[in-house]
Amino acid sequence: MNISLKDSLVIRQEVVFRELGDEAVLLNLKTGTYFGFDPVGARIWRLIVEHGSLARVLEVMLEEYEVEPGMLERDLLELCRQLCRNGLGDLVPARHDATG
């Protein structure tokens, strides 16, 4: 699955998010797919819900955490691939400008 920071991710309506202490879980109510998050993953999830834009999620995460940008970008994109593969989110590809 090709995914880039130019894309956005939308959460499927049938997915619920619950925090359990320092961790969080997602559950797709239609499929029963369950996905667990550590505290950093839960923060990424909340930012995806808030912004959608993966570029914006990366920007906020870089402001909040001391991490190498390339590593964070790779981890963010891989998490989004997993969410899409597991039916928890849908990729919204960046629109290409007709002028180039």
Side-chain angles (χ1 to χ4, degrees):
M1 167 181 283
N2 289 333
I3 187 169
S4 79
L5 292 177
K6 295 178 183 178
D7 301 325
S8 294
L9 192 72
V10 294
I11 307 311
R12 292 188 177 182
Q13 280 188 318
E14 62 269 17
V15 173
V16 294
F17 171 82
R18 293 291 180 262
E19 294 187 59
L20 305 167
D22 289 341
E23 299 182 350
V25 294
L26 299 176
L27 174 63
N28 183 315
L29 297 172
K30 284 188 178 177
T31 65
T33 300
Y34 172 94
F35 202 87
F37 284 128
D38 64 13
V40 175
R43 179 64 180 139
I44 291 172
W45 175 263
R46 286 190 296 276
L47 290 170
I48 288 170
V49 170
E50 184 178 343
H51 300 289
S53 164
L54 300 183
R56 181 67 182 135
V57 170
L58 180 70
E59 182 181 309
V60 172
M61 291 295 292
L62 288 172
E63 291 171 4
E64 294 180 3
Y65 294 89
E66 287 187 34
V67 63
E68 193 272 313
M71 181 182 356
L72 180 58
E73 179 179 343
R74 285 187 299 276
D75 290 349
L76 172 62
L77 296 178
E78 179 54 32
L79 175 62
C80 291
R81 283 185 200 94
Q82 289 179 24
L83 293 172
C84 290
R85 276 195 299 263
N86 286 291
L88 300 165
D90 292 307
L91 185 66
V92 179
R95 287 195 243 172
H96 296 285
D97 189 333
T99 61

